[in-house]
Amino acid sequence: MTRRLTGPFLVRALQTCDREIARALPRVLRSADDEAVHDLRVGIRRMRVLLKLARPIFGRHYADVVRAAYTIVHRSTGDLRDAEVLLTTLGELAIQDAAFTVWLAMRKRREVGLRKTVVRGLMTGDFSRASDRLRALLLLPINPARDKLLAKFARQSVGRAHETVTQRDTTDTTDVLGLHALRIAYKGLRYAAEVLAIALPPHFGACAEAAAKFQKRLGEIHDLDVAVVVVRRARGLPLDVKNAAIVALGARRERVVAKLLAEPKILLPRKPADQPKSEARVSAPIITP
């Protein structure tokens, strides 16, 4: 059986990710696809995770130079994506008030302005610069002394990402900043497990799926928490309208938290040979209420 090395695998994975991001760009520029910005950001998140994982193989400095260029694109789209999600979240509250309707229209105009800013940045070369840096990185020869067996590299990488999650798994569901940090940790675990799935043993299989579920729930909670802050700071909204919106958002948050706590908990298992029979089925990181 051939023992695969990490370097060539990462080169192919980074090239594939670059192509996926490039395919999403025209959809963002056309501004007619509601999911285009989301898909672009998912592609960039995968790229950034890959580049972070690649530090030991390509060298931290070189990997981080490329990663920083993609981070610029990611941040430039962040405000726009947040505005899109906020409008969706607030629009679902169905608050029948003229002042609220006017305020939502103002938020919509802000979203349009943010979209123009993102499109301008992409057209003036933000993504091209990142992609050019990536191609330059991938032309560099990989130092054989840095390369590792892919199977070992994959297990270690996912194990470290999982450890980051477990360090935060007792976060209280009322801790807004703590839950946001936990969500980021789950993102890292999910994308590491997904991009390295081909090199992971079967008993790692449920890790990415479980992480994605937690990430989704925590993302919903984050969107609701952001909406509450925006409503509280809103100018021109009567106090009773603000209160009605905040109460509705709070009720939705409670429902999402209940779903979060009901998710099956799956721990990253040890190697089967090291796992006692009595622990053949174990639970995962638990977020305590």
Side-chain angles (χ1 to χ4, degrees):
M1 180 176 172
T2 304
R3 306 181 79 189
R4 300 178 65 185
L5 292 174
T6 302
F9 170 83
L10 287 176
V11 169
R12 290 192 297 272
L14 288 164
Q15 290 171 334
T16 298
C17 195
D18 185 53
R19 289 193 293 269
E20 290 174 352
I21 296 171
R23 283 196 293 269
L25 276 174
R27 296 166 52 206
V28 176
L29 297 178
R30 287 196 297 268
S31 304
D33 187 337
D34 291 341
E35 291 300 312
V37 174
H38 170 71
D39 292 345
L40 176 66
R41 287 173 59 77
V42 168
I44 295 173
R45 279 200 294 268
R46 291 182 189 277
M47 177 68 77
R48 293 174 71 236
V49 168
L50 274 168
L51 288 166
K52 184 177 181 179
L53 294 173
R55 285 169 175 168
I57 309 301
F58 295 109
R60 176 179 286 268
H61 170 73
Y62 296 113
D64 282 355
V65 165
V66 181
R67 193 168 185 266
Y70 280 101
T71 299
I72 290 173
V73 183
H74 194 254
R75 288 177 178 168
S76 73
T77 60
D79 288 343
L80 173 58
R81 183 58 183 169
D82 289 346
E84 289 178 340
V85 173
L86 179 66
L87 280 170
T88 299
T89 301
L90 294 172
E92 291 172 350
L93 298 182
I95 293 179
Q96 304 299 319
D97 182 270
F100 191 74
T101 301
V102 170
W103 180 69
L104 282 183
M106 180 191 69
R107 300 295 310 186
K108 179 62 179 178
R109 289 194 294 272
R110 181 176 183 274
E111 182 211 355
V112 171
L114 289 170
R115 185 175 296 278
K116 291 179 180 178
T117 300
V118 167
V119 169
R120 191 181 310 118
L122 293 174
M123 292 183 69
T124 53
D126 285 349
F127 171 71
S128 296
R129 281 186 288 273
S131 189
D132 288 345
R133 287 188 185 183
L134 175 68
R135 294 189 180 99
L137 173 69
L138 299 183
L139 288 174
L140 296 175
I142 297 172
N143 184 345
R146 286 183 175 272
D147 215 345
K148 302 179 180 181
L149 291 175
L150 179 57
K152 182 177 181 180
F153 175 84
R155 289 196 302 270
Q156 290 177 339
S157 298
V158 174
R160 283 192 294 269
H162 182 268
E163 179 61 26
T164 301
V165 167
T166 59
Q167 289 171 356
R168 301 181 180 276
D169 65 9
T170 56
T171 301
D172 192 286
T173 56
T174 62
D175 182 353
V176 173
L177 295 179
L179 289 184
H180 181 55
L182 181 60
R183 175 192 176 205
I184 292 172
Y186 269 115
K187 281 183 182 180
L189 175 58
R190 172 192 175 181
Y191 291 127
E194 286 181 350
V195 299
L196 296 168
I198 193 173
L200 291 169
H203 60 283
F204 279 65
C207 190
E209 183 179 353
K213 289 180 180 178
F214 278 103
Q215 179 195 339
K216 176 184 177 182
R217 298 302 182 199
L218 289 164
E220 292 171 350
I221 292 171
H222 174 72
D223 294 340
L224 292 166
D225 288 338
V226 169
V228 168
V229 172
V230 172
V231 169
R232 281 178 177 160
R233 295 176 178 175
R235 296 180 180 180
L237 277 183
L239 183 58
D240 61 327
V241 176
K242 284 187 178 185
N243 288 337
I246 290 171
V247 168
L249 291 167
R252 287 186 60 184
R253 190 184 195 277
E254 289 179 2
R255 291 194 293 271
V256 178
V257 166
K259 292 179 181 178
L260 174 72
L261 297 175
E263 289 288 359
K265 321 297 183 184
I266 305 174
L267 277 175
L268 186 65
R270 295 188 290 270
K271 293 181 182 179
D274 300 333
Q275 189 173 338
K277 292 182 179 179
S278 62
E279 297 182 8
R281 297 183 66 182
V282 291
S283 305
I286 298 174
I287 303 174
T288 58

